[in-house]
Amino acid sequence: MSKVAIVTDSNSGITQACAKELGISVLPMPFYINGRLYYEDIDLTQEQFYKALGEDAEISTSQPSPGDVTDLWDGLLKEYDEVVHIPMSSGLSSSCQTAIMLADDYDGKVQVVNNQRISVTQRQAVLDAKLMADEGIAVEEIVKYLMDTKMESSIYIMVDTLKYLKKGGRVTPAAAALGTILKLKPVLQIQGEKLDAFAKARTLTQAKNIMINAVKADVEKRFGGNVNNVHLEIAHTHNLQEALNFKEEVAAAFPEYQGQIYVDHLSLSVSCHIGPGSLALAATKRM
């Protein structure tokens, strides 16, 4: 039986400590803050990141260097026969395409899966892949499953401030100014490749209801009509207490749900563009 290593990046929300417990490998995502290079969960904590963001530091995302990627693969292939690498969605970063090109030199021993996910949904794909690998399922079947199910997840994100969407050029200054005056809390969505507009809310309560109703619609129309066919997940940007409050509201909205509602932070790569104070609700189809 082939030994298969599972690799992802820190956009999955899986910390280095948790990766050791799970028996997987996590590539830390690089960030430039005021021109200095940092690596997520290595020498850049959540607290340091949001402190810099609050101080209007110049923050930009990057991708792991080719050398860092291949060094990790080379090390794993001394112990494992094959590697399944699950990076963040290709629609949100070029790191996926870079990894695919690098894998060409590995004679099929490294399979890069463009799973089209990020944050809690990417994490679930990694957990599914690890479970399959531990059960001795062949790499080809693991990759096929991840590709066949890549669109079977949704994330809805309530943005607390338009400041960072404006800074990143995702909304115009005029739209940001109007939205601020109207105290809009836009709800965005990630279904596959991109971060797109979904709805506009005036209040936090309205935004949370929009997200809950969107997931209910997905359960009904996309996931077979049974909420127990999905994992429900909540994510946030530097907004843990509100996320825990939201967890209780989601549990009340889905009383028949039998699973645990997982709560984690949104990836820092997304946080760069939306800022602190955000809440997200995700649904990922169960394996």
Side-chain angles (χ1 to χ4, degrees):
M1 186 176 71
S2 180
K3 285 185 68 179
V4 180
I6 305 298
V7 175
T8 188
D9 57 48
S10 58
N11 284 299
S12 64
I14 299 173
T15 64
Q16 297 296 325
C18 186
K20 287 182 181 179
E21 292 178 10
L22 292 171
I24 65 169
S25 298
V26 174
L27 272 167
M29 294 302 292
F31 290 82
Y32 285 92
I33 300 178
N34 292 331
R36 179 179 170 185
L37 177 63
Y38 294 87
Y39 290 92
E40 184 173 1
D41 200 34
I42 301 295
D43 57 0
L44 179 63
T45 65
Q46 292 272 316
E47 291 73 19
Q48 289 169 326
F49 173 85
Y50 285 108
K51 183 175 184 293
L53 200 66
E55 294 171 349
D56 283 330
E58 282 298 318
I59 302 177
S60 60
T61 58
S62 186
Q63 60 174 303
S65 72
D68 287 345
V69 176
T70 55
D71 284 351
L72 176 58
W73 292 348
D74 292 342
L76 288 170
L77 287 171
K78 293 176 182 177
E79 181 182 352
Y80 294 87
D81 301 306
E82 297 170 283
V83 172
V84 174
H85 184 112
I86 307 168
M88 71 185 291
S89 171
S90 62
L92 299 168
S93 170
S94 58
S95 58
C96 180
Q97 195 58 43
T98 298
I100 289 171
M101 291 188 293
L102 293 172
D104 284 342
D105 294 332
Y106 282 79
D107 298 322
K109 291 183 179 180
V110 176
Q111 297 291 323
V112 178
V113 184
N114 186 10
N115 192 232
Q116 305 279 290
R117 297 188 185 182
I118 194 168
S119 187
V120 288
T121 59
Q122 181 184 356
R123 170 187 174 273
Q124 190 57 54
V126 172
L127 296 181
D128 290 346
K130 175 61 175 169
L131 181 61
M132 287 187 281
D134 287 347
E135 291 183 351
I137 294 173
V139 162
E140 294 77 14
E141 289 300 311
I142 297 173
V143 171
K144 183 178 186 303
Y145 172 79
L146 293 175
M147 291 302 292
D148 287 348
T149 60
K150 66 182 182 179
M151 300 304 289
E152 294 182 346
S153 69
S154 301
I155 305 180
Y156 299 95
I157 307 170
M158 183 279 301
V159 178
D160 188 53
T161 172
L162 293 168
K163 173 181 176 180
Y164 300 93
L165 288 172
K166 171 190 169 186
K167 189 174 182 180
R170 290 178 179 265
V171 298
T172 65
L178 181 60
T180 300
I181 292 169
L182 296 175
K183 297 183 179 179
L184 290 181
K185 293 187 181 296
V187 177
L188 311 178
Q189 65 175 334
I190 301 176
Q191 291 193 33
E193 291 197 354
K194 296 179 181 178
L195 185 69
D196 292 318
F198 180 74
K200 294 176 183 177
R202 291 288 185 91
T203 65
L204 175 60
T205 297
Q206 187 181 17
K208 289 191 286 189
N209 286 334
I210 287 169
M211 292 189 286
I212 287 171
N213 288 331
V215 167
K216 283 183 175 179
D218 283 342
V219 168
E220 188 64 33
K221 297 174 183 177
R222 297 173 56 208
F223 301 140
N226 182 353
V227 71
N228 289 304
N229 286 341
V230 304
H231 298 279
L232 293 180
E233 303 135 331
I234 291 170
H236 65 95
T237 60
H238 208 52
N239 199 19
L240 177 58
Q241 188 54 58
E242 196 60 60
L244 294 175
N245 295 342
F246 189 32
K247 177 181 178 180
E248 299 303 316
E249 295 175 53
V250 173
F254 296 94
E256 71 277 29
Y257 183 64
Q258 299 298 312
Q260 179 186 4
I261 300 174
Y262 180 74
V263 178
D264 202 353
H265 56 79
L266 270 168
S267 83
L268 296 186
S269 295
V270 174
S271 304
C272 273
H273 299 295
I274 63 176
S278 297
L279 283 178
L281 179 59
T284 307
K285 193 169 183 180
R286 288 184 183 272
M287 185 165 63

